[in-house]
Amino acid sequence: MHNPKQRIFIQVLIAILFIQTMISCSPEVKPVQIIPQPVKIEQKNGVYKLRGEVSIMVSAEQQDLMGLANYLSTVFETANIKTNISSIDAGSQKGKGIYLTIDPNLERAEEYKLEITRKRIIISAASARGVFYGIQSLRQLLPAEIENEAFANQIREIEIPCLVLKDYPAFAYRGMHLDVARHFFPVSFIKKYLDLMALHKMNHFHWHLTEDQGWRIEIKQYPRLTQIGSIRKETLIGHGGVQPFQFDGKPYGGYYTQEEVREIVKYAEDRFITIIPEIEMPGHSRAALAAYPELGCTGGPYEVATRWGVFDDVFCAGNEKVFGFLENVLSEVIELFPSKLIHIGGDECPKTRWKKCPKCQDRIKKEKLADEYELQSYFIHRIENFLLTKDRNIIGWDEILEGGLTPNATVMSWRGTEGGIAAAKVKQQVIMTPGSHCYFDHYQADPATQPLAIGGMTTLEKVYSFNPIPNELTREESEYVLGAQGNVWTEYMKTPAHVEYMAYPRAIALAEVLWTPREQHNYVDFTQRLIKHLNRLDMINVNYFKEPVK
Ligand code: ACM
Ligand code: ZN
């Protein structure tokens, strides 16, 4: 009946219809979206349906996971979903529910496996830390509304896609920093900052606690540090590089009590975040000098700084009292912070006062030092040796490299990656925080459209493009690069909302740089996942910068 042409046409038509039917019959598997991108996701057909009460099970012999079961239950409780936590015998993963378990076969320290079937959700890892990261990935598979009590009652039933996910980080050090000295932020905000870090599997919080413009941690032996040093009489208005200077005329202050510090350290620990406290020396120390003027070369008087920048007045390196003071301060600090690494600053220390100070010059002579730069390394070495007696290691800005270091010291490379490269080549451990990619106080878009910032330009895409391992390093040398960190200096950030605006979403790009294997980085794919992820940040009331993925 049909000519050959017609027959071919009909056959092709039938084939097309057949293929279309096949496609529409195969159950749709929507790609899951998690940030940072996991190493491996194998999606399966089907969903785990979560309704009413959720059972969370922990093996009887793994009771240290109970804390995580409680943590997970708070994720559901926000949405008024009841949870029921129980202990089960080893190997008896039978009923419907979420199982948290330690699996010694997973060897990497932070590795985890998340398996979701129609019946069970199993998070396994070699350590509780890995289980915690598994919980964060599971959390991102739940509707964003679960993050917010006001919206969570809209949730009736949750469908979680079936999958097998294997995951571990590319870098061991995944950090965020916050300067609480230029501006002070309350305990509640520090907790929120830590929560956001945890959501993105970041694990080190560098807490910049002392500065020219304010001393922000209670030290019992030196009450004037907070009575005097935590308050400046006024604050600069506008940009620090524009003269004549104008000030607001209003006193500004704040500090954390030791009790608050303990509370925050515990909060971080529960989220597998190590807090590295920074006590700045020998520079950036005017707040301490205002409190104890005898610690400066001239004897003062000094004022807590009211504008931004680098100041000539620094701790006197020739005065024994200074070392006694810093050792006492650090003794209290290490009682509060279990971190092996203690940050001692070391950056931007002018030598102006030391050049004229008889005590400093005397020290140079007695110690046979070449100049004031060697005096600075003498200073850092003394502090390092003191901390070593307490079983702590120093970490400092890359200036601490000048003059040599013990192998235990870690270098934070901020003036580009050069300091980090030099450090790795002499087998010092390195954290990369170059201004070009990791300074989240820089502009993130055209300054004409942005609130006042210090300068620079670090877009989301630029952060995402960052490779913490510079080309200059051999494979062996690159092992000394532990990771990277986003720095949030707050001269121009007066409020928590503004900190969030500057840190997010750039911190999320950095989190993916540090977690996901480099060969899997894909900026377009990242931004697509980010668009959805930002709904979650909305639910957590994060005031992130919306422009990059609008
Ligand atoms: C720094 O930004 N001064 C470490
Ligand atoms: Zn001096």
Side-chain angles (χ1 to χ4, degrees):
M1 239 159 57
H2 302 295
N3 66 31
K5 252 191 186 164
Q6 280 175 317
R7 213 176 307 134
I8 289 170
F9 176 76
I10 289 166
Q11 279 169 354
V12 168
L13 201 67
I14 289 169
I16 289 171
L17 283 172
F18 177 75
I19 291 166
Q20 270 190 340
T21 316
M22 288 292 291
I23 291 172
S24 61
C25 281
S26 84
E28 193 187 348
V29 178
K30 266 196 277 171
V32 296
Q33 302 197 314
I34 295 175
I35 298 185
Q37 177 67 38
V39 173
K40 191 165 175 226
I41 306 178
E42 225 182 293
Q43 286 197 238
K44 311 271 185 190
N45 288 329
V47 292
Y48 177 101
K49 287 192 179 158
L50 198 152
R51 194 175 12 203
E53 192 172 280
V54 187
S55 294
I56 303 174
M57 264 85 58
V58 173
S59 296
E61 74 275 22
Q62 295 168 355
Q63 290 301 299
D64 50 330
L65 294 184
M66 246 339 150
L68 287 179
N70 287 321
Y71 173 86
L72 179 58
S73 82
T74 62
V75 171
F76 290 109
E77 275 162 17
T78 307
N80 272 327
I81 297 172
K82 286 205 174 50
T83 52
N84 143 30
I85 301 175
S86 56
S87 289
I88 55 160
D89 293 335
S92 65
Q93 295 173 350
K94 296 217 173 60
K96 195 165 175 185
I98 305 175
Y99 294 81
L100 307 183
T101 176
I102 297 291
D103 179 354
N105 295 321
L106 299 170
E107 282 169 5
R108 290 183 182 87
E110 300 183 285
E111 183 176 2
Y112 70 92
K113 187 173 165 192
L114 170 62
E115 273 180 280
I116 302 172
T117 66
R118 290 184 170 91
K119 279 264 178 66
R120 280 180 286 281
I121 296 175
I122 303 174
I123 300 174
S124 46
S127 66
R129 176 184 290 272
V131 173
F132 181 76
Y133 294 139
I135 291 175
Q136 297 311 321
S137 291
L138 173 61
R139 184 177 162 196
Q140 291 194 27
L141 298 176
L142 305 175
E145 290 73 18
I146 202 161
E147 308 284 349
N148 189 319
E149 260 169 318
F151 290 83
N153 59 8
Q154 296 171 3
I155 301 171
R156 294 277 169 269
E157 179 179 85
I158 300 174
E159 293 194 342
I160 312 170
C162 294
L163 50 75
V164 179
L165 189 159
K166 285 183 189 158
D167 204 11
Y168 51 83
F171 289 94
Y173 187 108
R174 306 179 298 280
M176 282 296 289
H177 151 286
L178 184 63
D179 166 12
V180 296
R182 271 54 175 265
H183 285 101
F184 176 77
F185 304 97
V187 171
S188 58
F189 179 66
I190 303 298
K191 288 182 176 173
K192 187 177 179 191
Y193 201 75
L194 292 166
D195 276 331
L196 285 172
M197 286 176 60
L199 175 62
H200 303 102
K201 305 187 176 84
M202 302 280 254
N203 64 359
H204 284 83
F205 173 48
H206 172 172
W207 203 3
H208 185 78
L209 286 162
T210 73
E211 256 305 337
D212 295 308
Q213 297 83 5
W215 183 283
R216 306 275 176 236
I217 177 170
E218 178 190 24
I219 300 295
K220 304 262 191 210
Q221 226 176 313
Y222 299 102
R224 287 168 62 88
L225 283 173
T226 41
Q227 285 163 3
I228 308 280
S230 76
I231 301 162
R232 58 177 179 256
K233 73 167 197 276
E234 58 188 359
T235 303
L236 183 80
I237 297 171
H239 197 277
V242 178
Q243 295 202 27
F245 295 129
Q246 275 193 303
F247 297 89
D248 64 6
K250 286 187 259 177
Y252 182 93
Y255 69 91
Y256 306 98
T257 64
Q258 293 201 353
E259 201 175 321
E260 287 170 328
V261 169
R262 283 201 178 87
E263 182 185 330
I264 288 171
V265 168
K266 168 79 172 70
Y267 194 85
E269 237 167 43
D270 287 346
R271 283 150 187 76
F272 298 87
I273 295 170
T274 302
I275 302 190
I276 299 178
E278 180 177 355
I279 305 296
E280 268 270 17
M281 64 190 78
H284 287 293
S285 47
R286 259 188 50 186
L289 298 186
Y292 296 97
E294 65 272 26
L295 304 178
C297 290
T298 65
Y302 306 102
E303 273 190 345
V304 179
T306 54
R307 63 177 177 86
W308 324 123
V310 171
F311 298 93
D312 285 341
D313 288 307
V314 301
F315 286 121
C316 175
N319 184 349
E320 277 307 293
K321 265 196 182 167
V322 167
F323 293 96
F325 165 84
L326 288 171
E327 288 177 8
N328 291 336
V329 167
L330 288 170
S331 295
E332 289 194 34
V333 167
I334 61 182
E335 280 301 310
L336 294 167
F337 294 92
S339 169
K340 181 87 172 172
L341 292 177
I342 303 294
H343 206 300
I344 49 79
D347 61 320
E348 299 178 321
C349 179
K351 310 297 184 281
T352 323
R353 295 288 182 260
W354 291 358
K355 280 187 179 148
K356 296 222 168 109
C357 169
K359 286 199 194 89
C360 286
Q361 291 304 314
D362 210 34
R363 175 86 74 197
I364 288 176
K365 255 192 237 121
K366 282 212 179 96
E367 298 292 334
K368 302 192 173 44
L369 306 171
D371 54 19
E372 289 74 22
Y373 288 88
E374 284 200 5
L375 184 57
Q376 157 125 356
S377 45
Y378 166 89
F379 195 114
I380 300 295
H381 275 290
R382 263 190 80 165
I383 297 297
E384 181 183 21
N385 286 333
F386 169 74
L387 285 170
L388 285 172
T389 67
K390 306 279 182 189
D391 201 26
R392 306 299 178 101
N393 296 333
I394 62 161
I395 177 168
W397 301 109
D398 54 48
E399 286 92 330
I400 67 166
L401 259 177
E402 296 155 12
L405 290 170
T406 73
N408 305 298
T410 303
V411 173
M412 204 164 246
S413 188
W414 72 280
R415 296 174 300 177
T417 51
E418 289 80 358
I421 293 167
K425 283 192 181 294
V426 294
K427 300 188 181 338
Q428 300 285 158
Q429 295 195 316
V430 175
I431 311 295
M432 289 295 188
T433 65
S436 55
H437 295 78
C438 295
Y439 269 47
F440 299 162
D441 56 339
H442 288 181
Y443 283 106
Q444 50 194 328
D446 179 359
T449 67
Q450 296 298 301
L452 181 68
I454 194 159
M457 175 62 76
T458 306
T459 61
L460 182 69
E461 188 165 6
K462 191 167 182 193
V463 176
Y464 196 83
S465 75
F466 182 52
N467 184 357
I469 307 289
N471 290 332
E472 289 87 340
L473 295 184
T474 64
R475 201 180 168 80
E476 197 202 343
E477 288 161 353
S478 69
E479 296 290 315
Y480 291 93
V481 179
L482 304 181
Q485 172 178 287
N487 289 344
V488 183
W489 301 102
T490 58
E491 287 94 332
Y492 301 97
M493 300 174 214
K494 288 188 167 68
T495 62
H498 198 173
V499 169
E500 290 175 0
Y501 179 85
M502 298 302 278
Y504 284 87
R506 288 187 285 191
I508 304 178
L510 186 62
E512 184 150 309
V513 163
L514 292 169
W515 182 281
T516 307
R518 185 145 188 87
E519 55 280 12
Q520 281 176 246
H521 292 186
N522 178 332
Y523 185 66
V524 173
D525 181 69
F526 168 72
T527 50
Q528 277 161 7
R529 277 176 288 122
L530 186 59
I531 287 170
K532 178 162 174 255
H533 186 72
L534 292 177
N535 295 333
R536 190 168 303 273
L537 297 201
D538 285 331
M539 289 293 151
I540 307 172
N541 296 317
V542 182
N543 181 46
Y544 57 86
F545 176 49
K546 297 181 175 60
E547 205 66 37
V549 289
K550 224 164 58 178

